[in-house]
Amino acid sequence: MTAPGSGSRASGRMKLWFEQILFPVPTLTLALSKGRIFDETLPLLAGAGIVPAEDPETSRRLIIGTNRPGVSIVIVRASDVPTYVQHGAADVGVAGKDVMLEHGGEGLYQPLDLEIARCRMVAATKRGFDWPGTVQRGARIRIATKYVKTAREHFAAKGMHVDLIKLYGSMELAPLAGLADAIVDLVSSGNTLKANDLVVVEDIAPISARLIVNPASLKLKRDTVQPLLDALAAAVAVRRSAAKVAS
Ligand code: ATP
Ligand code: MG
C-alpha cells in the first residue's frame, strides 16, 4: 500500500523532470571568498538580481543557493578562486588583482574591474631601515611575502637583487623578528604598518577585485553569463557615480 499523497508527489516529480528536459534551467556557478570579497560583491550581485540564500559567515555550507534557480555560489579560499574558474568548476569568480598577478591569469577572461576591495601592494621596511642606500649599494635584500611571483617580477624589472622568503600570513612580523629586511604586502589604511613601526618604501601596484570568467562558460552559457556581466558592469557604474556624487 502506498502512503496517501505519494501518487501526487510522484506525478509532481515527473512533471518537474519533464520541465527540466523541455525547459532546462541554465546553471551558473560563482566562486567567491568569504569576508571582504563576499561582503563587497553582495551589493553588486543584488544589483544584478542575485541574492544568496545564506551568509557564509554563519553557515557551514560551502555551496550556497541563491534566489535565482540554477545560480549557486561556491565559497573558496581567495587564492583558490582563479583555479576553480580556470578549470570550469565555477563559471565566474571574483578575485583580487593581487591574486590574479600571482596566479598569472592563464586561461581566464577578466572582463571587469569591480572597483571593490581596493588597496595597494607595497614594499615596507622597519622605520629607519636605509632602503634607498641598500638599493643603491646593490646589496641583497631579504623580502618576506605571500606574493613571491609578483615580488620577484617587480624587483627583477628594477634590476634589484632580492632573496624572497615565502610566508602565508602576518607578513608584518617578518622585519620585526629579523626574518627579512622588507615585506611585500597589501595596505589600505596603513594602520597595521604604523602599529608595527613599518613604513612604505615602494608602491608596487594598485589593487582591486576583478570579475573572472571561464572562456568556455562564456561561449557555451553566453545567454546566462553575458547578461550577468552586463548587469554587474551596470552595478559598478551606478556605484561609481553614487560615490562621485557623495564626494
Ligand atoms: P586568507 O585570509 O584565506 O589567507 P586572504 O588574506 O587573501 O586569504 P582576505 O583578507 O579576505 O583573504 O583578502 C581577500 C582579497 O581582498 C585580497 O586578495 C585582496 O585583493 C583584498 N584585500 C586584502 N587586504 C585588503 C585590505 N586591507 N583592504 C582592501 N582589500 C584588501
Ligand atoms: Mg587576509
Side-chain angles (χ1 to χ4, degrees), residues 34 36-37 77-78 96 98-99 117-119 146 186 188 207:
K34 263 209 275 213
R36 186 178 279 128
I37 296 280
R77 186 89 184 249
D98 53 320
V99 168
R118 283 178 184 280
C119 53
K146 162 168 144 180
L186 303 180
S188 46
I207 302 293

Side-chain angles (χ1 to χ4, degrees), residues 18-19 35 92 98 117 150 196 204:
F18 270 123
E19 278 174 2
V92 176
D98 53 320
T150 314
N196 290 291
I204 297 177

